[in-house]
Amino acid sequence: MLNQAVFLVGGLGTRLKDRTRDTPKPLLDVGGRPFLDYLLDEAARHGFTEILLLAGHFGQQVQERYDGRDWRGARIQVLCEPEPLGTGGALRFALPHLAEQFLLANGDSFFDINLRSLPPILPEGGVAMALRNVAGDRYGRVKFQDGQVLSFHAPEEGVEGPINGGVYALSRKVVEAIGGGKVSLEGDIFPQLAAQGLIRGQQFDGYFIDIGVPLDFERAQVELPRRVRRPAVFFDRDGVLNRDIGYLHRPGDVEWLEGAKTAVRLCNDAGYFVFVVTNQAGVARGYYGEEDVHKLHAWMNAELARHGAHVDAFEYCPHHPDGVDGPYRRPCRRRKPEPGMLLDLLSSWPVDKNASFLIGNMQSDLDAAAGAGLKAHLYQGGDLAGFVAARLISTQATTKPVA
């Protein structure tokens, strides 16, 4: 499982001219916030717990804003290269801080894909690369066949094919082999790896934008804030994703229900947020603690990651009016059938409410959804993936896509 996400944020941004005179390109304002914030949101919601920013030009600004911060559960570290080293050289400089395998992404482009769906790195010392079909002659092209990236070509060569989307799963061994001096990952390293058959590729059709030129930078001001607003599927946990055995709190006791992992992956691939909302009265009754709930949910997300899936956020309510004496013994606006957990998610995430829905197995789930103004579907067993797929198709057919 990949836990570390690394972003290359050291580019000069020369094509943006005056805009980057005093500000590094990834920190330029897009839609009211730094562009890099959007990328960090994506990494954190996909379950990456370590984020490493490799800064260069005006790196001190990046360091001051992000180093040491917690970002939706992910810890951020910033490294500033001592001199311009190129994208490959920046990775070589960061080598002591890199995991055995990690996600790598450019800090000046946004590619709306399920980051957990990149194929595993099959060859030792290889790369998995996200590819995108785009029109125009601005970008270089990739020759790609049967899942294999064969070669890279400059725009003027007129080669047909997808572009390199700037998102990769990378083996640390790739970085270990990078020599000294200024090195370009794209121009020096990747062509060599492709020639050796060490780059696997996967095509995606998600929204893509690179803010490196003025026209696309201006386009991003309007498009990106709209694109990150997306519909959500809210899952109850016990009895929907896993068998309800009563007060589940140990990973070893989890029995995933039929199609549960695939159902989450379907939602991820369709571009939906995935949230879990679960009552956890076992805390109030003294059977286990909140830390046990956190550990179980972290384990579940790790299991989902092995299937190319993830939950964006787990919400739970530990309170119950009949609990043992203490702070957990009380009514709570977040305990279903009250809608508090759903309302909190709707207020803290950019959710397209009209296209969202909840899946639960009890009337209290449906009542909570009604209280939050959400559609709801009662799941009564069987293949959860098929159940979810049908609801996704129905919702997409009756709801206008986010502009």
Side-chain angles (χ1 to χ4, degrees):
M1 173 183 170
L2 301 180
N3 289 317
Q4 185 184 58
V6 181
F7 291 95
L8 297 163
V9 296
L12 296 177
T14 53
R15 291 175 295 180
L16 293 175
K17 299 180 180 178
D18 289 348
R19 293 183 180 88
T20 53
R21 179 178 296 169
D22 302 309
T23 306
K25 181 167 50 172
L27 263 58
L28 291 175
D29 187 284
V30 173
R33 60 196 303 226
F35 178 76
L36 184 53
D37 283 15
Y38 294 98
L39 304 183
L40 298 177
D41 282 349
E42 289 300 294
R45 79 179 186 87
H46 279 83
F48 293 90
T49 56
E50 301 175 28
I51 297 177
L52 183 61
L53 304 180
L54 305 186
H57 183 59
F58 293 129
Q60 188 65 31
Q61 293 184 37
V62 179
Q63 199 162 43
E64 290 174 356
R65 177 174 173 82
Y66 297 106
D67 192 43
R69 289 186 61 178
D70 180 277
W71 201 277
R72 287 193 186 275
R75 190 71 172 173
I76 301 177
Q77 181 182 10
V78 179
L79 296 180
C80 294
E81 59 186 1
E83 58 183 332
L85 297 172
T87 51
L91 280 173
R92 182 188 62 240
F93 174 72
L95 183 60
H97 304 271
L98 297 177
E100 288 301 313
Q101 295 183 6
F102 57 95
L103 183 85
L104 177 68
N106 292 336
D108 58 359
S109 59
F110 182 96
F111 197 0
D112 187 14
I113 65 173
N114 175 7
L115 297 175
R116 289 291 179 191
S117 67
L118 282 173
I121 300 173
L122 302 178
E124 184 175 350
V127 177
M129 178 178 292
L131 307 174
R132 177 71 158 87
N133 280 319
V134 299
D137 56 3
R138 176 185 164 192
Y139 301 99
R141 300 287 164 167
V142 171
K143 275 193 176 180
F144 172 69
Q145 185 176 0
D146 298 328
Q148 192 83 19
V149 172
L150 305 177
S151 56
F152 298 86
H153 301 270
E156 59 269 19
E157 294 181 55
V159 172
E160 301 258 338
I163 69 167
N164 172 1
V167 179
Y168 323 98
L170 209 70
S171 165
R172 191 176 189 271
K173 293 186 179 297
V174 173
V175 184
E176 292 173 349
I178 296 176
K182 190 173 183 178
V183 181
S184 167
L185 195 64
E186 301 83 358
D188 300 320
I189 305 303
F190 285 164
Q192 295 178 21
L193 293 175
Q196 298 171 48
L198 292 175
I199 302 184
R200 302 293 295 171
Q202 183 173 345
Q203 288 189 259
F204 298 88
D205 60 3
Y207 172 73
F208 175 86
I209 193 162
D210 179 338
I211 64 167
V213 297
L215 182 62
D216 286 344
F217 178 77
E218 293 302 328
R219 186 162 60 90
Q221 302 296 327
V222 176
E223 292 183 358
L224 192 52
R226 292 178 179 175
R227 291 288 178 169
V228 297
R229 182 172 176 266
R230 61 184 77 234
V233 178
F234 299 77
F235 286 97
D236 177 43
R237 196 190 78 183
D238 301 329
V240 175
L241 294 178
N242 55 271
R243 190 169 305 284
D244 187 355
I245 63 171
Y247 304 113
L248 172 69
H249 62 283
R250 289 186 291 263
D253 294 333
V254 173
E255 182 181 347
W256 294 91
L257 291 184
E258 179 188 2
K261 296 175 184 177
T262 302
V264 175
R265 171 73 184 263
L266 286 172
C267 299
N268 298 150
D269 288 345
Y272 282 62
F273 289 125
V274 174
F275 302 130
V276 169
V277 287
T278 174
N279 288 343
Q280 290 299 307
V283 176
R285 297 183 186 279
Y287 299 150
Y288 49 88
E290 288 194 72
E291 186 59 30
D292 294 306
V293 179
H294 295 156
K295 288 179 179 178
L296 178 61
H297 290 162
W299 179 88
M300 292 180 75
N301 237 354
E303 286 291 298
L304 288 167
R306 294 185 178 92
H307 291 77
H310 73 278
V311 171
D312 292 284
F314 289 86
E315 293 290 326
Y316 67 96
C317 178
H319 304 108
H320 195 286
D322 297 329
V324 297
D325 288 338
Y328 297 114
R329 183 180 180 178
R330 64 177 178 84
C332 181
R333 58 175 285 278
R334 286 170 54 87
R335 177 173 172 77
K336 294 178 291 184
E338 297 300 317
M341 283 188 286
L342 305 175
L343 293 173
D344 289 345
L345 286 164
L346 289 171
S347 67
S348 59
W349 292 76
V351 176
D352 176 9
K353 183 176 174 180
N354 291 333
S356 301
F357 56 90
L358 175 143
I359 295 177
N361 68 327
M362 299 179 67
Q363 186 61 44
S364 59
D365 299 317
L366 308 189
D367 290 344
L374 286 166
K375 304 180 190 72
H377 303 284
L378 182 64
Y379 168 72
Q380 295 179 301
D383 178 21
L384 183 62
F387 185 89
V388 168
R391 273 70 192 172
L392 288 173
I393 292 170
S394 175
T395 300
Q396 291 165 348
T398 58
T399 308
K400 293 182 179 179
V402 178

